[in-house]
Amino acid sequence: MVKKEPLQTAIRLAGKLAQEPVIGGKRVIDVDNEPYMIPPEMAWPVLEYMKKLRPESKFELKEVMGGYGLDLIETVAEKTEVSK
């Protein structure tokens, strides 16, 4: 059975991340305050869903500001062009 709340949170965060610019191969959003807050018990389920939504990217949660902040970081896979 799929828990809807972590899935819905992952979908919402994936949409927010997609709006952010890629800087140095990464997109970053702050997830320690509204409206993108991830409750601690949902952190790992949300990351697992994020990986399923965009398997080509790598996702991680990182503490910032000495543990007072939390960022969700997406490392975007480099696109390789296929020559004909």
Side-chain angles (χ1 to χ4, degrees):
M1 182 171 153
V2 174
K3 291 187 177 182
K4 291 183 180 178
E5 194 171 341
L7 178 58
Q8 291 169 341
T9 300
I11 291 169
R12 189 176 76 235
L13 292 172
K16 173 61 179 159
L17 271 170
Q19 296 173 10
E20 295 298 312
V22 177
I23 300 172
K26 298 178 185 288
R27 291 185 178 118
V28 180
I29 57 171
D30 180 9
V31 291
D32 61 349
N33 55 29
E34 295 295 338
Y36 303 108
M37 189 158 97
I38 300 176
E41 68 276 6
M42 282 181 26
W44 294 117
V46 166
L47 281 178
E48 289 302 312
Y49 284 123
M50 297 290 287
K51 292 174 187 175
K52 290 178 183 177
L53 290 169
R54 291 212 284 269
E56 70 281 359
S57 293
K58 177 184 169 196
F59 296 94
E60 61 183 314
L61 287 169
K62 183 175 181 182
E63 287 185 352
V64 293
M65 298 185 300
Y68 288 100
L70 187 65
D71 284 353
L72 175 63
I73 302 167
E74 175 185 9
T75 302
V76 181
E78 290 184 30
K79 295 183 179 181
T80 55
E81 293 186 25
V82 178
S83 57
K84 293 185 178 183

